[in-house]
Amino acid sequence: MKQKNEQIHTTKLLTYLLIGLIGVLGLLCLYYGSSFAPGSRRSDNTGSRLDGSDPVFGGFSRNRDLDDLLDEQGHYPEVPKSIPICDIKYSELIPCLDRNLIYQLKLKPNLTVMEHYERHCPPPERRYNCLIPPPRGYKIPIRWPASRDEVWKANIPHTHLAEEKSDQHWMVVDGEKIKFPGGGTHFHDGADKYITGLAQMLKFPGDKLHNGGSIRNVLDVGCGVASFGAYLLPLDIIAMSLAPNDVHENQIQFALERGIPSTLGVLGTKRLPYPSRSFELAHCSRCRIDWLQRDGILLLELDRLLRPGGYFAYSSPEAYEQDPENRKIWNAMYNLLKRMCWKVAVKRGQTVIWAKPLSNSCYLKRDPGTRPPLCSSGDDPDASWNVSMKACITPYSAKMHKERWSGLLPWPQRLTTAPPRLEEIGVSPEEFHEDTVSF
Ligand SMILES: *[C@@H]1O[C@H](CO)[C@@H](O)[C@H](O)[C@H]1NC(C)=O
Ligand SMILES: *[C@@H]1O[C@H](CO)[C@@H](O)[C@H](O)[C@H]1NC(C)=O
C-alpha cells in the first residue's frame, strides 16, 4: 500500500514536471514569438508576471491537465497518448555510456585504450522510450553560487567517493548534503591557491591566470569533481572538465549538480568533440593518463586542441618524484614533447607547464623522419565527431604561421570581434558583424 502511494506520488510529481516543461516551452514560444513580432515590446509579456508568481510553475501551466493537452493532439496519431516512466533502476541511465549495453551486445571494447568509456549507442530496438525518474527524495538543486560548495545528497545518492578521497578533501558527507571543500589530489590547500600558483609560475600580471583575457578556454582532463573548473569561473575563465564514468562513481554527476561545466569523456581512441585550436590551456592534475602510449597519440590530441602558444599544466608524480620509475617516464615524456616542439615554460614544485609552439618554424627544422610526423594535408583537424585520433602533429595554416598567433583578441572583446579562422572557411568579418547584430 505504501509503495503504491509512493508510486502515485511519483507519477503525480512527474506529471507536474512534464506540464511545467510544456509550460516553459509555451512561454519560450510566446516570448520569442512576440519579441520578434513587428512593433511588439518585450515588456508586454513580462507584465503578467509582476504578481510575483513563479514564471515557470506559476500561472496557467499548472491548471492544464496533461490529458486535455494530449486530447487536443488526438488527430496526430503518431503522438503517444502517454509516455511510460522507466523503472527506478534506470534513474542514472546514460544511453550511450551504458556498461550493461556493452556487455549485452557482446561488444569487445579494447580496455587498454579505454574504449569501454567511449560512446556506444544502443540500436533503435534497444532504446528505452520512457521518462527517466528522479532518484527518491529528489530536491530542487541548490542554486549557484552556493552549489559550488554543497549539493543535496538525495539528488546524487553516492557517498563512496567521499570516503575514498577523504584524505584529499574532495568532498564530505554532512547530513542531508554533500559538501565540497575545494580540495584535490594536488591541491590540498584548495583549488584557488593552486590556480594562483599557476599564474605566479607563468608570471602573469597580478597573479591572475586569465592574463588580461588571453586565457579563457581551459580543458581539464581527469577532472575529478571539477573543483579546478569551479574556482576558475569567478576568474572569468571557463573550463570544460572531462572525466570518464569509471571505477569511481560518476564524478561528472557531482560536477553538473554543482553547476560546473563538464562532460563525460575520455582520451581513448576518438578525438574529443572540439575543433582544433579550441583551448588556451589544458590541465591534468594526477589524471592517471599514460601519455606515452601509442606514440604519444593522447598528447598529440591535446596538441590538436591547443591554440598557438597554448599551455599544458601537468601536476603529477612523474613531474617531481625522483625515483627511477618516475624519472624514466619524465625523461620519455620530455623527449616526446621536445620532438613535438613543446617547451617547458616553467617547472616548480609538483607542477610543470609546457607551451606549444607559436608557428611551424620548429616543425620545419626537425630532422627528416622525426616522429611523430606532421599530419598529411588531407587531414581535417576540425573534424571531430566519431573521428579516430591520429598520431601526428597538426601544423598551422600559412597565415597563422606568419602571424605566430591565433589572431584572437582577449576576452571579452573576442566575443564581438570576428575570429580570423572564420575567414579561412569563407565567412567575412562583415557577415560576422551582421550576424552579431541579429543574434
Ligand atoms: C588494444 O590496443 C592496444 C594498443 O593499440 C593493442 O596493442 C592491442 O593489440 C589491442 N588489443 C586488442 C584486443 O585489440
Ligand atoms: C563511427 O564510425 C565508424 C566507422 O569509422 C562506424 O562504424 C560507426 O557507425 C560510426 N558511429 C556513429 C555513431 O556514427
Side-chain angles (χ1 to χ4, degrees):
M1 191 61 199
K2 189 163 173 249
Q3 206 185 346
K4 187 137 190 240
N5 272 342
E6 207 165 279
Q7 235 171 35
I8 291 171
H9 183 75
T10 321
T11 319
K12 260 192 180 159
L13 195 77
L14 281 161
T15 312
Y16 280 136
L17 270 175
L18 198 66
I19 295 172
L21 196 71
I22 293 168
V24 172
L25 284 174
L27 273 174
L28 272 177
C29 292
L30 206 75
Y31 177 76
Y32 282 108
S34 59
S35 56
F36 284 132
S40 76
R41 278 173 301 138
R42 277 170 182 213
S43 54
D44 288 353
N45 52 20
T46 43
S48 60
R49 276 195 225 130
L50 293 179
D51 58 357
S53 70
D54 189 302
V56 174
F57 292 106
F60 67 88
S61 56
R62 213 174 244 172
N63 305 333
R64 282 186 95 163
D65 196 35
L66 184 63
D67 289 340
D68 287 351
L69 204 72
L70 290 169
D71 274 353
E72 278 172 27
Q73 299 174 333
H75 51 284
Y76 298 111
E78 66 273 21
V79 175
K81 280 271 177 285
S82 65
I83 302 167
I85 311 291
C86 309
D87 193 285
I88 189 83
K89 74 176 178 217
Y90 297 121
S91 79
E92 295 185 350
L93 178 76
I94 309 167
C96 294
L97 296 170
D98 176 8
R99 243 169 289 168
N100 291 326
L101 183 84
I102 292 182
Y103 178 73
Q104 287 158 10
L105 292 184
K106 300 193 168 59
L107 303 178
K108 297 238 163 14
N110 188 333
L111 304 187
T112 49
V113 296
M114 305 287 156
E115 248 182 326
H116 51 308
Y117 295 136
E118 295 189 316
R119 291 167 61 85
H120 302 278
C121 293
E125 69 277 9
R126 297 201 72 108
R127 293 178 195 160
Y128 299 94
N129 281 315
C130 53
L131 294 169
I132 300 279
R136 289 188 208 288
Y138 184 81
K139 290 182 202 286
I140 301 295
I142 294 168
R143 289 191 178 203
W144 185 265
S147 63
R148 186 189 75 185
D149 302 329
E150 54 181 37
V151 300
W152 294 116
K153 191 171 74 183
N155 293 5
I156 309 181
H158 304 296
T159 52
H160 175 68
L161 197 58
E163 287 149 27
E164 185 178 336
K165 300 283 182 185
S166 59
D167 57 327
Q168 296 171 7
H169 305 117
W170 279 29
M171 47 192 268
V172 287
V173 178
D174 183 0
E176 292 207 328
K177 289 175 174 169
I178 295 173
K179 299 196 169 173
F180 301 87
T185 314
H186 276 277
F187 28 98
H188 293 269
D189 299 333
D192 46 354
K193 289 206 181 67
Y194 174 77
I195 290 164
T196 307
L198 295 181
Q200 281 166 348
M201 284 173 73
L202 289 165
K203 299 198 170 61
F204 286 166
D207 299 338
K208 302 263 189 272
L209 192 62
H210 65 67
N211 192 26
S214 70
I215 292 197
R216 167 71 182 173
N217 296 3
V218 167
L219 180 71
D220 186 18
V221 294
C223 64
V225 290
S227 288
F228 183 68
Y231 284 83
L232 287 175
L233 281 174
L235 307 177
D236 231 3
I237 298 174
I238 195 150
M240 177 47 80
S241 298
L242 197 76
N245 190 3
D246 62 7
V247 286
H248 302 303
E249 282 143 355
N250 188 349
Q251 306 161 34
I252 294 301
Q253 227 177 331
F254 291 104
L256 290 174
E257 184 74 10
R258 295 173 73 188
I260 306 161
S262 54
T263 190
L264 275 165
V266 68
L267 285 165
T269 70
K270 302 280 190 200
R271 283 180 173 171
L272 295 182
Y274 307 101
S276 67
R277 308 189 307 276
S278 291
F279 299 93
E280 288 95 31
L281 177 100
H283 174 250
C284 150
S285 162
R286 186 92 66 124
C287 57
R288 296 165 182 273
I289 290 172
D290 168 14
W291 294 106
L292 293 170
Q293 64 184 280
R294 292 175 283 155
D295 304 319
I297 196 165
L298 305 183
L299 280 172
L300 288 156
E301 174 62 0
L302 285 193
D303 185 77
R304 184 183 73 87
L305 293 173
L306 285 175
R307 299 201 210 277
Y311 295 108
F312 176 43
Y314 182 64
S315 302
S316 197
E318 298 87 62
Y320 59 87
E321 293 286 6
Q322 296 301 321
D323 59 283
E325 185 56 25
N326 278 313
R327 290 313 296 163
K328 200 173 131 215
I329 297 172
W330 166 257
N331 288 336
M333 240 175 121
Y334 181 83
N335 195 286
L336 168 65
L337 285 167
K338 195 166 166 217
R339 280 181 275 127
M340 285 167 58
C341 293
W342 289 23
K343 289 205 168 96
V344 173
V346 52
K347 187 167 181 291
R348 189 199 296 169
Q350 304 191 331
T351 305
V352 56
I353 304 177
W354 271 287
K356 182 187 166 174
L358 288 163
S359 74
N360 292 335
S361 306
C362 167
Y363 304 143
L364 301 172
K365 276 188 248 153
R366 299 191 315 164
D367 290 331
T370 304
R371 303 193 64 85
L374 296 187
C375 297
S376 72
S377 55
D379 176 58
D380 175 5
D382 297 336
S384 53
W385 183 245
N386 196 24
V387 175
S388 293
M389 288 180 191
K390 298 190 177 118
C392 59
I393 300 170
T394 306
Y396 299 118
S397 67
K399 183 167 181 282
M400 207 172 276
H401 166 64
K402 202 167 120 248
E403 293 176 359
R404 297 171 56 84
W405 182 39
S406 68
L408 279 178
L409 293 184
W411 182 265
Q413 292 94 293
R414 176 186 300 187
L415 193 56
T416 48
T417 312
R421 75 190 297 168
L422 271 185
E423 260 182 288
E424 292 181 20
I425 57 166
V427 179
S428 70
E430 290 71 33
E431 282 172 272
F432 175 87
H433 288 296
E434 276 168 34
D435 283 357
T436 310
V437 172
S438 308
F439 299 108

